[in-house]
Amino acid sequence: MFKNNKKSVFRTLLILIKLFFRKYPSALFVLKWLFITLITGILIGSASAFFLQTLEWATQFRENHLWLIAFLPLGGFLVGLMYHHFGKDVEAGNNLLIETIHEPQKIIPLKMAPFVYLGTMVTHFFGGSAGREGTALQMAGAIADQFSKPFNLSEDDRKILIISAIAAGFGSVFGTPLAGAIFGLEVFLVGRLKYNALFPAISAAIIADLVTKLWNTHHTHYHIDFIPEISFLNLFYAVIAGIFFGICAAVFSKTIHKTGKLFKTKIVYPPLRPFFGGIIVASAVFLMGTTKYIGLGIPTIIDSFEQQVPAYDFALKMIFTIITLAAGFKGGEVTPLFFIGATLGNALGYFIPLPIALLAGMGFVAVFAGATNTPIACSIMAIELFGNECGVYVAIACVVSYLFSGANSIYKSQIIGEPKNRRFLKDIGKKLSEL
């Protein structure tokens, strides 16, 4: 009798659950993606923590043993050999992730994660100028995509998985989960967002960021001590600054692609490209007698918020970064873009009468916004990093930079979803590499 009652209660519960999910299908969607992003978020957050902590060690070790920079050409050659013989299918990096979102095909090889990690560590250990976001995104995408088959995900679900992985990687490596979520939604399709991936992206980014912090990983803090009152004149100054940031972003994007083509044209054997690039960078460091423009450049970024820095800092960092990455070294472009933007904003303080810290903060995110076509994510990032008081100024700078950067990006696999000007409606659906 008791068993029969137990069975009837269990059946009733099952019926009620089925009716609930039939009436509220979104509940099943939320539970499904909460489960998936919990697993992937823990793994990605842990990978980001390991990467950030070892990267900090590599940077400090290099700064205490500057003779290591002389071995940058050899390090580049070895990484070039590794990718040439074993990593051709993952060499596209972030563009491979974007292409997978557009047209999911074979599973992203798991080896992308250790390859890009090793490549990036070599770059920073021996003194190349690169960032960290590319590594975090590629590690995240490679880890997450391994669950596509075990979870029997559909093609559309797999797109959502890669978007949430990008969100988790970005959010955890910079400590900005909301910006990471929007970046994942915004980066692959210029001018449009994929709203059905909104919850998975936010969930993955928040979980990964929490896990990274649980591993006692610290992020750099920036401070804007004074925000002037909003006025028509100050908003005009923000627009002017945004124009400079957008032009800078376009120059960076165009030049890095052209320099990359030049290396490929002039040096046929791929491993020799980072070798010669390493010679150029290492020689420049020793001739200039400073390591200011290699690595992440965090100390100079902090300085740009606190005091006037040389007006040419942004240009030199741009040159060092373009040569490093165009030659084939691994790493990301984003932290160097933060450096370029912050120091350019600082330089604009010579003739734009806004606080230097505010201009540095605006440039920090706006050059990045123009170079990646992600103005919403970058505006939110500024609010997460600097506080909501700067929101109006950074949003204007990011949007104007986005518009003035034109049909350019550091990611050539981005597709035009909505053109920046109605004159270019014919470009909808085209990759930036086709324009």
Side-chain angles (χ1 to χ4, degrees):
M1 182 77 174
F2 177 75
K3 286 184 178 180
N4 289 334
N5 287 335
K6 198 173 182 180
K7 285 181 180 179
S8 63
V9 170
F10 182 69
R11 286 172 184 166
T12 303
L13 281 173
L14 280 178
I15 292 169
L16 289 173
I17 290 170
K18 287 180 180 178
L19 288 172
F20 176 78
F21 284 128
R22 194 173 296 170
K23 186 172 180 62
Y24 302 103
S26 294
L28 187 60
F29 178 87
V30 168
L31 286 175
K32 169 185 171 180
W33 283 105
L34 193 58
F35 172 73
I36 293 173
T37 56
L38 180 64
I39 295 173
T40 57
I42 290 172
L43 292 173
I44 292 168
S46 299
S48 290
F50 175 73
F51 169 55
L52 289 173
Q53 291 180 24
T54 53
L55 180 60
E56 184 178 358
W57 170 84
T59 300
Q60 291 178 353
F61 192 87
R62 182 199 69 230
E63 289 300 304
N64 291 323
H65 303 83
L66 295 180
W67 53 267
L68 285 168
I69 299 171
F71 292 92
L72 181 62
L74 178 60
F77 181 73
L78 292 176
V79 171
L81 276 178
M82 179 178 71
Y83 271 88
H84 182 60
H85 290 288
F86 308 107
K88 288 183 179 179
D89 52 344
V90 295
E91 198 167 12
N94 290 338
N95 284 306
L96 176 59
L97 302 182
I98 294 173
E99 288 167 5
T100 302
I101 295 172
H102 291 308
E103 296 180 12
Q105 295 180 7
K106 64 179 183 178
I107 301 296
I108 296 171
L110 183 59
K111 66 181 177 182
M112 174 185 263
F115 272 44
V116 73
Y117 171 78
L118 290 172
T120 303
M121 291 303 292
V122 167
T123 301
H124 285 277
F125 190 74
F126 293 110
S129 175
R132 52 196 171 178
E133 122 286 341
T135 309
L137 299 191
Q138 290 171 53
M139 289 171 66
I143 291 169
D145 207 21
Q146 305 312 306
F147 292 93
S148 293
K149 286 185 177 178
F151 290 156
N152 195 27
L153 298 182
S154 65
E155 184 175 290
D156 194 56
D157 280 347
R158 193 168 160 227
K159 292 180 181 181
I160 294 174
L161 179 67
I162 302 300
I163 290 170
S164 64
I166 291 173
F170 189 98
S172 60
V173 83
F174 293 121
T176 54
L178 294 181
I182 302 303
F183 181 81
L185 297 166
E186 197 175 18
V187 70
F188 66 97
L189 192 62
V190 179
R192 291 193 180 176
L193 298 176
K194 187 175 173 65
Y195 277 93
N196 66 338
L198 185 58
F199 175 78
I202 291 175
S203 175
I206 292 173
I207 292 169
D209 179 55
L210 284 173
V211 170
T212 301
K213 289 173 181 173
L214 286 173
W215 283 109
N216 200 27
T217 306
H218 303 288
H219 299 286
T220 307
H221 296 284
Y222 307 94
H223 179 63
I224 300 176
D225 54 4
F226 173 67
I227 309 292
E229 287 188 14
I230 295 172
S231 66
F232 287 112
L233 186 58
N234 285 341
L235 295 181
F236 173 73
Y237 292 145
V239 171
I240 297 300
I243 293 172
F244 279 96
F245 297 142
I247 293 171
C248 178
V251 169
F252 180 89
S253 299
K254 285 183 177 180
T255 308
I256 197 169
H257 293 308
K258 288 183 178 179
T259 307
K261 287 181 181 177
L262 184 64
F263 270 103
K264 290 176 182 177
T265 302
K266 299 297 182 182
I267 305 172
V268 179
Y269 187 52
L272 286 178
R273 295 168 194 157
F275 177 78
F276 284 109
I279 290 176
I280 296 170
V281 172
S283 300
V285 171
F286 287 118
L287 287 171
M288 295 176 65
T290 179
T291 59
K292 186 177 184 178
Y293 306 107
I294 61 174
L296 295 173
I298 299 295
T300 304
I301 297 175
I302 294 173
D303 285 345
S304 69
F305 280 80
E306 299 173 352
Q307 61 193 32
Q308 199 80 56
V309 299
Y312 52 77
D313 273 357
F314 80 95
L316 288 176
K317 182 62 172 179
M318 187 183 296
I319 293 168
F320 271 85
T321 304
I322 286 171
I323 293 172
T324 299
L325 297 178
F329 282 94
K330 299 304 171 183
E333 299 94 341
V334 172
T335 305
L337 285 170
F338 292 161
F339 182 118
I340 294 164
T343 51
L344 173 58
N346 185 285
L348 292 179
Y350 283 107
F351 63 90
I352 293 181
L354 289 176
I356 287 176
L358 177 58
L359 285 167
M362 289 161 62
F364 184 103
V365 289
V367 172
F368 172 38
T372 58
N373 294 305
T374 56
I376 302 175
C378 292
S379 299
I380 294 173
M381 184 179 203
I383 291 170
E384 287 186 291
L385 289 175
F386 314 136
N388 61 353
E389 294 86 357
C390 68
V392 171
Y393 290 103
V394 295
I396 290 173
C398 286
V399 172
V400 173
S401 176
Y402 163 75
L403 293 172
F404 273 80
S405 65
N408 298 289
S409 174
I410 56 175
Y411 307 131
K412 298 298 284 183
S413 291
Q414 285 182 322
I415 287 179
I416 301 293
E418 192 73 36
K420 299 178 185 181
N421 191 293
R422 290 187 59 81
R423 290 187 300 162
F424 305 109
L425 288 173
K426 65 181 185 305
D427 294 334
I428 292 178
K430 292 181 180 179
K431 288 184 180 180
L432 292 181
S433 59
E434 299 170 354
L435 301 180

